[in-house]
């Protein structure tokens, strides 16, 4: 079966209605879709990719009641997949938490944006270089404000203001206001 939005939504809704065959078919169709998603975004062994796929399938099964049939299935799916990938990176100490990102991600109507299309590098590239660089340094690379200020030749308050304004601009962009 070809994995398109309508077919996936139909299988999910049927599964929610008690059709175990449709639910099993949905999980089967999601396997190659999730493998491709993780291979494009996560560097790691095939075992790491398979672990992520299995963790996501379990989460889809366990959290299926949270799916709103009025919204895009793929946005819901890829939101789960992103969180599983972030958890995986944290467990392997390849990622530090991004403070304030929750507010950006839970922005109104964020789920209506196809999750597969949002790429943090593209978002950061839309910001002025200074803001993007300081967000990368403090929120992605894990530098403290003082370390980022020293490395960039800025004052600490300048770093805080630039990061705050950059995150605010990203939130507006994600919400479609910019």
């Amino acid at each position: 079966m070809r994995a398109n939005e309508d077919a996936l939504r139909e299988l999910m809704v049927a599964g929610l209605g008690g059709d175990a065959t449709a639910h099993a078919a949905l999980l089967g169709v999601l396997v190659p879709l999730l493998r491709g998603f993780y291979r494009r975004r996560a560097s790691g062994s095939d075992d790491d990719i398979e672990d992520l796929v299995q963790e996501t399938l379990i989460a889809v099964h366990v959290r299926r009641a949270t799916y709103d049939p009025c919204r895009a299935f793929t946005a819901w799916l890829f939101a789960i997949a992103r969180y599983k990938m972030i958890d995986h990176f944290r467990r392997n100490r390849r990622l530090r938490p991004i403070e304030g990102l929750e507010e950006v991600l839970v922005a109104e109507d964020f789920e209506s944006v196809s999750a597969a299309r949002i790429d943090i590098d593209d978002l950061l590239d839309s910001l002025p270089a200074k803001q993007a660089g300081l967000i990368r340094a403090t929120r992605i690379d894990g530098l403290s404000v003082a370390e980022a200020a020293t490395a960039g030749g800025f004052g600490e308050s300048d770093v805080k203001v630039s990061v705050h304004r950059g995150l605010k601009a990203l939130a507006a962009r994600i919400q479609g206001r910019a």
Side-chain angles (χ1 to χ4, degrees):
M1 172 182 222
R2 185 174 163 89
N4 65 48
E5 180 65 34
D6 293 332
L8 293 172
R9 181 182 292 139
E10 185 178 305
L11 287 172
M12 182 65 167
V13 170
L16 288 172
D19 185 345
T21 304
H23 184 65
L26 173 69
L27 295 177
V29 170
L30 294 181
V31 170
L33 190 65
L34 290 169
R35 278 186 188 135
F37 175 83
Y38 287 126
R39 282 195 178 113
R40 286 188 300 274
R41 288 165 180 79
S43 58
S45 69
D46 286 341
D47 289 341
D48 287 340
I49 301 298
E50 287 305 310
D51 288 347
L52 284 166
V53 168
Q54 293 305 314
E55 287 177 25
T56 306
L57 291 175
I58 291 168
V60 166
H61 175 73
V62 170
R63 297 183 188 144
R64 66 187 182 272
T66 66
Y67 172 65
D68 179 357
C70 297
R71 296 196 179 248
F73 174 79
T74 53
W76 179 80
L77 170 70
F78 290 124
I80 292 172
R82 275 193 321 276
Y83 286 118
K84 289 298 174 186
M85 186 170 55
I86 289 168
D87 290 345
H88 176 77
F89 289 155
R90 284 182 182 147
R91 279 193 306 267
N92 293 300
R93 301 190 188 277
R94 288 189 240 164
L95 181 72
R96 294 178 188 219
I98 301 173
E99 295 171 23
L101 185 61
E102 280 302 311
E103 291 81 26
V104 173
L105 294 178
V106 297
E108 188 173 330
D109 290 334
F110 174 76
E111 290 179 347
S112 66
V113 177
S114 176
R117 294 183 194 155
I118 294 179
D119 182 43
I120 197 153
D121 288 330
D122 290 342
L123 287 171
L124 288 175
D125 288 344
S126 71
L127 294 175
K130 178 181 175 184
Q131 290 177 352
L134 291 173
I135 289 172
R136 278 188 180 101
T138 59
R139 303 297 195 231
I140 297 172
D141 297 337
L143 295 179
S144 69
V145 170
E147 291 168 332
T150 301
F154 305 111
E156 288 184 33
S157 62
D158 191 14
V159 171
K160 290 177 186 177
V161 169
S162 292
V163 168
H164 174 76
R165 288 181 180 165
L167 290 174
K168 186 175 178 180
L170 289 176
R173 183 176 184 88
I174 289 170
Q175 291 175 341
R177 294 184 301 205

